[in-house]
Amino acid sequence: MSKTKTSFFCQNCGTQHAKWVGKCSACGEWNTIVEEVIQKEEKRNWKQTSTAKKVSKPIKINEIDTQEEDRIHTHNKELNRVLGGGLVKGSMTLLGGEPGIGKSTLLLQVALSIPKNILYVSGEESQAQIKMRAERLNAKNSNCHILTETKTQNIFASIEELQPDVVVIDSIQTLHTDYIDASPGSISQIRETTAELIKFAKETATPVILIGHITKEGTIAGPKILEHMVDVVLQFEGDRNYTYRILRAQKNRFGSTAELGIYEMQNTGLREVENPSEILISEKDESLSGTAIGATLEGMRPLMIEVQALVSSAVYGTPQRSATGYNIKRLHMILAVLEKRAGFRLGAKDVFLNIAGGISVDDPAIDLAVVAAILSSNEDVAIPQDYCFAAEVGLAGEIRPVNRVEQRILEAEKLGFSTIIVSKFNKIAKKNYTINVVPVSKIEEVFTKLF
Ligand code: TYD
Ligand code: MG
């Protein structure tokens, strides 16, 4: 008889501890240690019938054959692009995103558009609910099978019967395996069910797509090792107030993470947005002075951010300076640089700065957009809406290079900007952009280029 064993896991990083502690020694988080039942019998294969263990042998790298056609095209251009050309056979893809952002919709739509045998496993919705959603999406694939099940052993039984080409799991947090007693969604369950699914994917060369819930901090719920275990981590994000959604790869073993896919949520599902500038242009009817777009990076992710500035004559003796979402000291510095190095008389003006969308930016690459917005408001001349900026401003009024400028340029290009202003000192390797890359070295140069 097996004895019930428990262990302590950090809910943040997944580290196993021998006893309960207040602070995880691995990641330093407080109050994240939770006791979980682990009851491991001997390790089983995903296929209960095959008990004979396959031993893999080392092969010379030249002898491993890879065929180009090892990818399944998803009939969804944006998803294909983000994946680097389609679903790689035997790969494990994790799709994360906030509740209600459209993860289930996206994957159901994909499942309905691939003309292959698909198994869509849902632990969250009933078959009837999924059918209703599929009707709204009006896509037809009579070979898409819906299974509502949460136990991996039962899922594998259906898989053996159906032999699907692609398996979609909605969501990994609802699955549980018999070999572990912990509740679904706990660290050990997620780890174990993912491991079983990976084994299945690799052995049968079937791509598996998992949906993962995210925590309130915006990372995928469960152990961090979940992201290490899978081949591709996709993030589906967007603003509730807007209908567009952005799909990015945070990790991709088979392609670049610089690509992104853009969708628009409509009442008939997600529409692929091929020309992203349409979203940007529809936001404003006319050019307004005092706004500029900065190409920033948030962690690993590129993000285009709108900076708004208002410069007006100070009514009271001491001019006011206020910044929302931007460091006020940095604003003071930029104003001093504009005054001293570029000769703009801003000393007697009120300056208000706002980063649109309630975002707070630390990336120094937004500096040039801040300068442009201030100058635009001061001159009362609008900056063309399809211009954006990515550079830091130094104390001598010089335009300094920023890191990963290529990624910013690619993002700006993808989002439909016509021109990006960067530092002359940024080494840009790839030259065949469709976007116009304008290098500048001084604030005066920016001024003459814009106004
Ligand atoms: P869903 O895919 O259920 O989100 P997730 O799985 O990420 O939690 O998306 C649900 C939202 O999408 C819901 O708020 C309504 C909206 N939606 C549409 O606007 N149009 C549609 O055709 C569908 C199916 C959903
Ligand atoms: Mg869902």
Side-chain angles (χ1 to χ4, degrees), residues 358-425:
I359 312 168
S360 177
V361 191
D362 300 326
D363 186 358
I366 193 112
D367 284 359
L368 193 56
V370 170
V371 166
I374 292 171
L375 293 182
S376 162
S377 177
N378 194 39
E379 303 295 316
D380 205 12
V381 177
I383 295 169
Q385 282 181 31
D386 52 357
Y387 272 47
C388 63
F389 304 85
E392 191 181 336
V393 174
L395 285 180
E398 83 280 22
I399 309 297
R400 300 165 58 111
V402 290
N403 62 348
R404 303 227 297 274
V405 72
E406 269 105 357
Q407 206 176 334
R408 302 174 199 261
I409 296 173
L410 279 175
E411 173 94 357
E413 185 175 273
K414 180 79 212 295
L415 289 175
F417 285 89
S418 74
T419 306
I420 181 164
I421 300 186
V422 297
S423 165
K424 202 172 118 185
F425 308 104

Side-chain angles (χ1 to χ4, degrees), residues 59-66:
I59 314 174
K60 277 191 192 161
I61 191 152
N62 307 344
E63 287 165 12
I64 304 173
D65 47 297
T66 53

Side-chain angles (χ1 to χ4, degrees), residues 1-195:
M1 234 194 90
S2 64
K3 182 168 145 259
T4 305
K5 266 179 75 181
T6 64
S7 193
F8 298 85
F9 291 94
C10 170
Q11 302 290 308
N12 185 48
C13 66
T15 308
Q16 193 171 354
H17 296 266
K19 61 178 172 45
W20 191 88
V21 280
K23 183 184 177 185
C24 173
S25 55
C27 66
E29 283 293 310
W30 286 91
N31 279 334
T32 55
I33 313 292
V34 168
E35 182 173 17
E36 288 182 8
V37 181
I38 46 162
Q39 192 171 32
K40 276 206 187 134
E41 299 171 33
E42 83 277 28
K43 274 272 185 202
R44 310 245 178 140
N45 207 353
W46 65 272
K47 224 174 180 180
Q48 274 148 307
T49 47
S50 73
T51 39
K53 211 167 170 228
K54 226 178 82 199
V55 183
S56 60
K57 290 201 185 72
I59 314 174
K60 277 191 192 161
I61 191 152
N62 307 344
E63 287 165 12
I64 304 173
D65 47 297
T66 53
Q67 290 121 12
E68 269 308 303
E69 278 327 294
D70 265 359
R71 288 182 187 257
I72 296 178
H73 290 271
T74 61
H75 291 247
N76 192 307
K77 280 200 201 115
E78 300 292 306
L79 179 62
N80 279 344
R81 193 203 327 263
V82 176
L83 289 171
L87 282 169
V88 172
K89 294 215 174 123
S91 70
M92 194 78 171
T93 305
L94 178 64
L95 172 71
E98 302 226 337
I101 205 79
K103 303 179 294 295
S104 308
T105 308
L106 176 68
L107 290 189
L108 185 62
Q109 216 167 319
V110 167
L112 289 169
S113 70
I114 306 177
K116 289 199 181 264
N117 204 2
I118 315 284
L119 179 62
Y120 185 101
V121 184
S122 180
E124 301 195 336
E125 286 161 281
S126 71
Q127 278 155 323
Q129 277 175 311
I130 296 169
K131 171 81 194 196
M132 267 160 60
R133 188 192 295 247
E135 273 165 5
R136 287 178 69 179
L137 303 176
N138 60 53
K140 307 261 173 317
N141 175 8
S142 46
N143 267 332
C144 177
H145 298 83
I146 309 291
L147 173 70
T148 45
E149 181 59 66
T150 55
K151 196 160 115 184
T152 53
Q153 279 72 29
N154 296 348
I155 295 172
F156 289 132
S158 302
I159 285 175
E160 278 187 69
E161 199 176 299
L162 213 65
Q163 303 283 334
D165 298 305
V166 180
V167 177
V168 177
I169 308 274
D170 185 4
S171 62
I172 186 69
Q173 278 84 4
T174 58
L175 293 194
H176 66 97
T177 174
D178 268 354
Y179 304 132
I180 281 188
D181 259 351
S183 57
S186 64
I187 300 278
S188 33
Q189 278 293 3
I190 293 177
R191 191 157 54 184
E192 200 59 27
T193 49
T194 311

Side-chain angles (χ1 to χ4, degrees), residues 328-338 367 393-395:
I328 185 80
K329 287 190 181 144
R330 198 139 185 108
L331 174 64
H332 285 145
M333 185 209 93
I334 283 185
L335 292 174
V337 169
L338 284 174
D367 284 359
V393 174
L395 285 180

Side-chain angles (χ1 to χ4, degrees), residues 8 44 48 58 110 147 164 197 199 219 242 282 312 318 321 331 339 345 383 417 448:
F8 298 85
R44 310 245 178 140
Q48 274 148 307
V110 167
L147 173 70
L197 286 163
K199 234 184 225 163
T219 55
Y242 296 97
S282 65
S312 64
T318 328
R321 271 82 208 270
L331 174 64
E339 183 102 31
R345 306 250 133 260
I383 295 169
F417 285 89
T448 45

